[in-house]
Amino acid sequence: MIELRDITRRFGERTVIENLNFTFPDKGAFALMGPSGCGKTTLLRLLAKLDRPEIGSVIHSHRKISMAFQEPRLLPWLNCEDNLKLVLSKDNSSSENTQKWLRLFELSDTAKQYPSTLSGCMKQRLSLARALAFGGDLLLLDEPFSALDQALKMRIAPHIREACRHALTVFVTHDPSDADLLGATVLHCQGSPLNTLSET
């Protein structure tokens, strides 16, 4: 469970989130939707404990947090295989397990390639594979399908949907069909600054 209690987050004189209250359950998928600049990514960073509110508190019961950022944030000096191995435990870092994740995200041919040689779509898929391979009980995804075409979305979504069965998954999207693909509850980010998450 994650409980947001009267949280306010400011950047200088600009208030992005103000007096926001909401409770997420232990598991399930939730899509944050709203106009650009409304505070969706800021909220995701607060959930990830990468940021703190000036006022209020974020109460967590989740112990292991995995996040895929809007930009892939791959380590450029490691090839695809080693970018994945970086997040795997010693018990799970076998070549066989690494190849499994590359295969699931249709990256088997890129194992020895470096991020600089990958397309934007490939980088995003590797970032998603790394987040899911890391595992955990809280999965946070910022625009997870933005670089993928519809056919790839359809093929990749089941792997993310499987993770939603075992963890709370919160992701940012501008496309309602992304929420449908992951069987997610849509949370509309309302107010300027953001003060309400309206469930549909």
Side-chain angles (χ1 to χ4, degrees):
M1 183 186 76
I2 301 177
E3 187 177 353
L4 308 177
R5 293 183 181 175
D6 299 314
I7 64 169
T8 293
R9 181 67 175 103
R10 303 185 183 97
F11 295 95
E13 296 183 355
R14 180 173 174 248
T15 301
V16 178
I17 300 174
E18 186 172 47
N19 298 329
L20 178 63
N21 291 275
F22 194 81
T23 300
F24 291 93
D26 288 332
K27 295 179 182 178
F30 294 85
L32 301 177
M33 295 191 67
S36 295
C38 75
K40 301 184 296 297
T41 295
T42 298
L43 178 54
L44 215 62
R45 290 179 57 83
L46 290 169
L47 297 179
K49 300 183 179 180
L50 296 174
D51 199 357
R52 293 182 179 181
E54 275 86 2
I55 301 171
S57 55
V58 180
I59 310 299
H60 256 282
S61 65
H62 296 270
R63 296 182 178 181
K64 187 177 179 183
I65 302 170
S66 185
M67 185 168 182
F69 296 86
Q70 205 171 81
E71 58 287 339
R73 298 198 181 183
L74 305 171
L75 299 182
W77 57 88
L78 296 179
N79 63 29
C80 293
E81 189 175 44
D82 289 338
N83 262 283
L84 270 174
K85 284 183 178 179
L86 192 68
V87 304
L88 295 171
S89 68
K90 289 182 179 179
D91 295 336
N92 293 319
S93 61
S94 67
S95 178
E96 182 180 348
N97 192 43
T98 305
Q99 288 301 319
K100 179 196 81 170
W101 286 106
L102 291 172
R103 184 177 66 256
L104 288 175
F105 285 82
E106 303 184 20
L107 294 166
S108 296
D109 295 338
T110 70
K112 301 302 181 183
Q113 290 183 231
Y114 288 84
S116 61
T117 70
L118 303 179
S119 68
C121 175
M122 289 175 175
K123 290 177 183 177
Q124 185 166 50
R125 280 182 279 148
L126 183 57
S127 175
L128 289 170
R130 188 174 61 179
L132 267 65
F134 181 67
D137 54 3
L138 176 59
L139 179 62
L140 303 170
L141 309 172
D142 198 351
E143 296 280 3
F145 297 134
S146 60
L148 276 59
D149 62 30
Q150 189 61 30
L152 264 173
K153 282 186 187 183
M154 297 292 288
R155 297 197 299 272
I156 297 302
H159 310 313
I160 302 175
R161 200 161 55 235
E162 175 64 20
C164 298
R165 295 177 54 224
H166 308 287
L168 171 62
T169 302
V170 183
F171 64 99
V172 170
T173 183
H174 288 92
D175 189 344
S177 69
D178 291 352
D180 293 337
L181 277 174
L182 298 184
T185 298
V186 174
L187 298 177
H188 293 285
C189 299
Q190 298 180 327
S192 183
L194 171 61
N195 55 37
T196 303
L197 294 178
S198 177
E199 188 174 320
T200 58

